[in-house]
C-alpha cells in the first residue's frame, strides 16, 4: 500500500478556489478487507475541497464508513465525525493511512492506531455512519486550529454530499475526538457557527482536550515526556510560519525540532529528549514562557481562539493527566458556559492521559447515544 505522498489519489487538484468547500473531488471504494480492523460497513475514501490553516483552498482525504446493517433507531441514521489523535508532521500519520496500514506502522505508533481502528469499528457496530477526516490536511498542520476545523466540517459536508453513501440530510451529526483529536473537535465546534452554519450539530464529545498549549508545554517540561515540547513547537512552526517560532528558541531547541519535523508524535516522544526543561529551549530568558510567544500559543489554543459550540458538549479528562492539565479543560468548559453552551465536564479521579482515553469511552458513547437519538431541527439547505 502506497503512502499518501506517493499515492495519486491524494494529489491536490488545481483550480479549487471556485469550488464549494466540502466538494467531493475524488472517491474510491475500498474492499471489505482494506481496513486493518475490518468493520461491517461499506467503506470509501473521499478527497474533498477544504481550506488550510491560512484559509487557502486545498484538499484532504477522509474515510467514510456506512454500516451494512439497517438502521433500527428512530429517525435517520446518525453521522459521527471521529477525530483520531493523528498528531503528525507527515502524511503517513494521517487516519486514512493508519486505518489501513496495519503492520506497516512503526511500533511506537501502532498502539494508538489500533485503539482508533477499534473505536471506528465499534461506532459502525452501533449503527452510526462514521466519517474519519484527515483534518491536518496535505501539509500535516498539527495544532493548526483553522485547518483542523475546516478539515472536520468540510468532511461532514463531503459525507453528506457523496451520493453513493446516501447519508440523510436530516441525520443527527456528532463530533468526537480525544487528545489531538479533541483539539480538532474543539476547533470545529468553536468555529462551526462561522464556517459551516448550515450544519446542525447534535452532540460534541471532547476527551483529554489540549485546551491551553502553554499549559501543555509547562506540564511536560522537565519530565519523562519532555520530548513532546520540541514536537509541539515544530508543529506550531509548521502550522503558523508567519509566527516565526524559531526566533524564540535557541540552536539546541531548533535542532531537536528539526529532528522530529517530518514524522509522527509516537516516534518523536520515544526518541527524546527526556527530562529537558522548557527554559533550556529559550533564546533568552522568558522568550517562550512569557511575552509574545506565550500570547501566540494561547491564541492558538481552544481557550484563546474564541467561538462557542452550538450543541451540547461532553468533556472528559483524567485528574492525573501528566500531559494536559485538567485545569485548562476546566477553563475551557467555563468559556463555553459563558458563551451560552450546555457543557458536562466529567473528571475521572487518578486517570492519566493514556488511561483516560479508554476509561472515558463509556460516558462518551452514552452521551452521543442520547443526543443522536433525535434528528436535528432546522437544518439549512446548502
Amino acid at each position: 500500500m502506497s503512502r499518501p505522498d506517493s499515492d495519486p489519489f491524494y494529489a491536490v487538484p488545481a483550480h479549487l478556489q471556485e469550488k464549494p468547500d466540502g466538494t467531493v473531488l475524488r472517491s474510491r471504494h475500498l474492499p471489505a478487507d482494506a481496513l486493518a480492523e475490518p468493520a461491517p460497513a461499506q467503506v470509501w475514501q473521499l478527497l474533498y475541497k477544504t481550506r488550510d490553516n491560512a484559509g487557502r483552498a486545498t484538499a484532504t482525504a477522509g474515510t467514510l464508513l456506512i454500516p451494512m446493517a439497517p438502521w433500527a433507531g428512530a429517525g435517520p441514521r446518525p453521522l459521527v465525525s471521529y477525530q483520531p489523535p493523528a498528531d503528525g508532521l507527515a502524511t503517513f500519520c494521517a487516519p486514512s493511512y493508519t486505518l489501513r496500514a496495519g503492520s506497516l506502522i512503526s511500533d511506537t505508533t501502532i498502539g494508538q492506531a489500533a485503539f482508533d481502528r477499534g473505536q471506528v469499528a465499534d461506532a459502525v457496530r452501533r449503527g452510526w455512519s462514521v466519517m474519519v477526516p484527515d483534518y491536518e490536511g496535505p501539509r500535516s498542520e498539527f495544532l493548526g486550529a483553522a485547518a483542523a476545523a475546516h478539515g472536520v466540517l468540510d468532511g461532514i459536508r463531503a459525507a453528506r454530499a457523496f451520493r453513493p453513501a446516501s447519508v440523510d440530510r436530516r441525520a443527527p451529526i456528532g463530533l468526537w475526538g480525544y487528545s489531538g483529536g479533541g483539539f480538532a473537535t474543539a476547533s470545529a465546534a468553536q468555529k462551526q457557527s462561522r464556517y459551516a452554519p448550515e450544519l446542525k450539530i447534535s452532540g460534541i464529545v471532547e476527551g483529554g482536550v489540549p485546551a491551553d498549549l502553554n499549559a501543555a508545554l509547562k506540564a511536560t517540561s522537565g519530565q519523562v515526556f519532555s520530548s513532546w515540547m520540541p514536537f509541539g513547537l515544530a508543529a506550531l512552526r509548521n502550522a503558523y510560519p508567519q509566527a516565526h517560532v524559531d526566533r524564540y528558541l535557541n540552536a539546541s531547541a531548533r535542532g531537536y525540532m528539526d529532528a522530529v519535523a517530518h514524522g509522527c508524535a509516537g516516534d518523536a516522544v520515544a526518541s527524546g529528549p527526556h527530562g529537558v526543561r522548557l527554559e533550556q529551549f529559550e533564546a533568552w530568558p522568558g522568550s517562550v514562557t512569557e511575552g509574545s510567544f506565550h500570547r501566540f500559543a494561547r491564541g492558538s489554543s481552544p481557550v484563546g481562539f474564541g467561538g462557542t459550540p452550538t450543541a451540547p458538549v461532553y468533556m472528559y479528562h483524567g485528574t492525573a493527566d501528566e500531559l494536559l492539565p485538567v485545569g485548562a479543560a476546566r477553563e475551557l468548559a467555563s468559556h463555553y458556559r459563558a458563551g451560552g453552551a450546555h457543557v458536562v465536564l466529567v473528571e475521572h479521579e487518578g486517570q492519566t492521559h493514556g488511561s483516560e482515553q479508554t476509561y472515558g469511552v463509556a460516558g462518551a458513547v452514552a452521551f452521543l447515544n442520547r443526543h443522536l437519538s433525535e434528528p436535528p431541527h432546522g437544518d439549512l439547505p446548502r
Side-chain angles (χ1 to χ4, degrees), residues 33-365:
D33 60 353
L35 299 182
E37 179 164 340
Q42 288 200 76
V43 183
W44 290 272
Q45 286 185 331
L46 309 181
L47 189 80
Y48 56 92
K49 190 267 180 104
T50 188
R51 296 187 178 272
D52 67 11
N53 206 48
R56 296 171 297 228
T58 188
T60 196
T63 306
L64 177 61
L65 301 93
I66 306 296
M68 296 284 197
W71 172 241
R77 184 192 301 275
L79 172 65
V80 173
S81 182
Y82 180 78
Q83 287 68 247
D87 300 3
L89 297 178
T91 57
F92 56 80
C93 313
S96 64
Y97 182 74
T98 59
L99 284 173
R100 300 181 64 192
S103 61
L104 298 176
I105 304 174
S106 69
D107 290 342
T108 53
T109 303
I110 198 167
Q112 179 60 57
F115 177 87
D116 290 314
R117 292 172 190 145
Q119 290 305 296
V120 169
D122 285 348
V124 168
R125 295 185 189 102
R126 294 181 191 107
W128 302 338
S129 297
V130 183
M131 182 62 171
V132 187
D134 289 1
Y135 55 82
E136 292 173 2
R139 291 189 55 250
S140 302
E141 293 178 296
F142 175 46
L143 298 184
H150 302 157
V152 171
L153 297 169
D154 287 328
I156 295 170
R157 286 168 163 166
R160 287 165 33 120
F162 185 60
R163 289 186 178 180
S166 299
V167 174
D168 196 305
R169 302 286 291 185
R170 299 170 296 120
I173 299 170
L175 307 178
W176 183 10
Y178 187 85
S179 191
F183 181 92
T185 300
S187 300
Q190 292 174 231
K191 295 177 183 291
Q192 175 264 323
S193 64
R194 288 165 286 164
Y195 185 74
E198 82 283 0
L199 298 180
K200 300 304 174 185
I201 311 299
S202 295
I204 300 161
V205 175
E206 302 173 13
V209 64
D212 184 348
L213 300 180
N214 285 314
L217 288 170
K218 183 178 179 180
T220 54
S221 175
Q223 54 134 304
V224 68
F225 295 110
S226 62
S227 46
W228 265 108
M229 295 188 304
F231 188 78
L233 292 166
L236 289 172
R237 179 177 65 179
N238 178 57
Y240 298 94
Q242 74 280 8
H244 303 292
V245 169
D246 275 357
R247 66 181 168 176
Y248 300 101
L249 302 160
N250 59 33
S252 175
R254 294 195 300 271
Y256 283 128
M257 291 161 61
D258 291 344
V260 298
H262 304 288
C264 309
D267 296 312
V269 173
S271 63
H274 305 294
V276 176
R277 298 197 60 80
L278 184 58
E279 292 81 357
Q280 294 174 251
F281 281 3
E282 293 184 317
W284 64 87
S287 64
V288 175
T289 54
E290 303 171 4
S292 56
F293 179 87
H294 192 275
R295 290 191 295 273
F296 154 70
R298 183 170 177 86
S300 304
S301 306
V303 294
F305 56 66
T308 302
T310 59
V313 181
Y314 179 86
M315 299 173 66
Y316 58 103
H317 214 103
T319 61
D321 192 318
E322 67 280 41
L323 305 181
L324 306 171
V326 68
R330 293 169 185 158
E331 183 181 2
L332 182 60
S334 295
H335 280 309
Y336 286 175
R337 291 174 181 133
H342 175 72
V343 182
V344 175
L345 171 60
V346 176
E347 300 178 16
H348 291 125
E349 190 68 30
Q351 297 298 320
T352 65
H353 189 70
S355 66
E356 177 66 9
Q357 184 172 25
T358 301
Y359 194 84
V361 166
V365 170

